[in-house]
Amino acid sequence: MRIAVTGGTGKLGRAVVAGLRESGDQVFNLDAAAQRPDIRVDLTDYGQTLSALTAVDDRYSAIDAVVHLAAVPAPGVTTNAATFHNNITATYNVFAAAAAAGIDNVVWASSETLLGIPFETPPPYIPLDEEYPARPEWHYALAKHLEETMAAQFCRWNPALKMIGLRFSNVMEPADYAEFPSFDADPHLRKWNLWGYIDARDGAQAVRKALDYDGTGVEIFIIANADTVMSRSSASLAAAVYPDVPVTRELGEHETLLSIDKARRILGYEPQHSWRDADPL
């Protein structure tokens, strides 16, 4: 496929671009920070976005699928309003331009923050899944919530469209794993996302699976690694930090508390990388 990846210069984006190219796809990175041979695009400008998803001179004359990762990547990077305006505008432009260009295969980065992060209000149950209504607590998460709502309406307008939102957990690269043992001293340090993470390479796997998924309409998936960032057991973490939160089933020793059951069942997603297997740095 000819795939446009927005934000391919970022932490997750680099892994996604590399993974798709290894699969044999033609991949074009559209990014405000791009340098040749990538393509510089301001996604908050609809005209630029539409042009980029239609044709670019000697690069391509059409695009088959879009992976939208570009965004202010987290809360607190800039002001609340700037984060919200940038992310919701860029995502609307990508969704609308893809529709105008006749692209019916769209995968985009939603966020684990919709689960209620940073859980100052405890989660409704553990492990968390996609079944309860979104609980955005930050302006960053509010934009992500509206993106999911927007995708549902685009799919209602066009029943042939497939849009898959991936609620990525905290993205990590192998170099980040050296810090993980320091989390063990205090389980409260990482309670804000229930001790979850996603290896960027497994994030790329999820994108590949989502692009290949044969379906229509909007689907939302939590994408995390199969384990937590902690050495202590998942059951002990839940009991120590959230003793009043129901645990809905027996937990594996280090099982993620951000359930990936739906992604496993529907997409065939299965994490291949863990910080526990990384070479010590």
Side-chain angles (χ1 to χ4, degrees):
M1 291 190 288
R2 292 163 297 188
I3 303 171
V5 176
T6 73
T9 308
K11 196 173 192 179
L12 177 61
R14 293 191 298 270
V16 168
V17 168
L20 294 176
R21 285 176 175 162
E22 287 172 7
S23 299
D25 292 302
Q26 289 181 277
V27 182
F28 305 97
N29 175 24
L30 312 180
D31 198 310
Q35 302 292 326
R36 284 188 62 86
D38 298 327
I39 300 167
R40 188 178 304 166
V41 180
D42 177 1
L43 296 169
T44 65
D45 182 305
Y46 179 72
Q48 289 189 41
T49 307
L50 178 61
S51 180
L53 295 185
T54 305
V56 175
D57 278 348
D58 61 342
R59 306 300 298 281
Y60 51 85
S61 58
I63 289 293
D64 300 311
V66 176
V67 177
H68 176 45
L69 308 176
V72 174
V77 175
T78 182
T79 64
N80 293 341
T83 296
F84 182 88
H85 290 160
N86 181 90
N87 290 1
I88 200 70
T89 302
T91 298
Y92 168 78
N93 287 347
V94 169
F95 288 0
I103 300 167
D104 59 10
N105 191 355
V106 177
V107 176
W108 90 97
S110 188
S111 172
E112 65 179 354
T113 58
L114 293 190
L115 298 170
I117 288 172
F119 298 121
E120 292 176 4
T121 298
Y125 50 81
I126 292 173
L128 293 182
D129 56 26
E130 301 87 350
E131 296 304 313
Y132 66 96
R135 294 168 50 176
E137 302 289 355
W138 292 324
H139 291 78
Y140 171 86
L142 178 61
K144 293 294 186 181
H145 176 46
L146 296 177
E147 289 171 12
E148 291 187 1
T149 303
M150 184 162 51
Q153 299 310 308
F154 273 96
C155 288
R156 181 176 65 84
W157 295 342
N158 178 7
L161 180 60
K162 179 189 80 178
M163 301 186 77
I164 295 186
L166 302 178
R167 291 180 176 178
F168 289 110
S169 189
N170 190 197
V171 179
M172 298 289 181
E173 294 176 322
D176 298 319
Y177 294 149
E179 186 183 7
F180 279 30
S182 68
F183 300 149
D184 277 334
D186 181 0
H188 291 82
L189 288 175
R190 292 278 310 193
K191 74 170 189 175
W192 59 270
N193 78 333
L194 295 190
W195 310 279
Y197 75 108
I198 178 66
D199 187 290
R201 296 164 293 181
D202 283 317
Q205 179 210 153
V207 169
R208 170 84 273 166
K209 298 284 189 182
L211 286 167
D212 291 344
Y213 173 64
D214 184 16
T216 57
V218 66
E219 288 282 2
I220 305 297
F221 299 93
I222 295 171
I223 301 297
N225 264 62
D227 59 344
T228 70
V229 302
M230 305 290 282
S231 295
R232 64 182 72 190
S233 75
S234 297
S236 69
L237 289 168
V241 179
Y242 293 110
D244 298 324
V245 173
V247 178
T248 58
R249 56 178 170 78
E250 185 176 353
L251 297 169
E253 184 178 7
H254 298 121
E255 180 182 347
T256 177
L257 303 182
L258 305 176
S259 174
I260 55 175
D261 290 351
K262 181 181 178 183
R264 282 171 159 153
R265 183 177 70 252
I266 295 177
L267 297 180
Y269 167 71
E270 190 61 49
Q272 302 298 309
H273 305 278
S274 169
W275 72 275
R276 299 170 207 279
D277 304 324
D279 292 333
L281 297 177

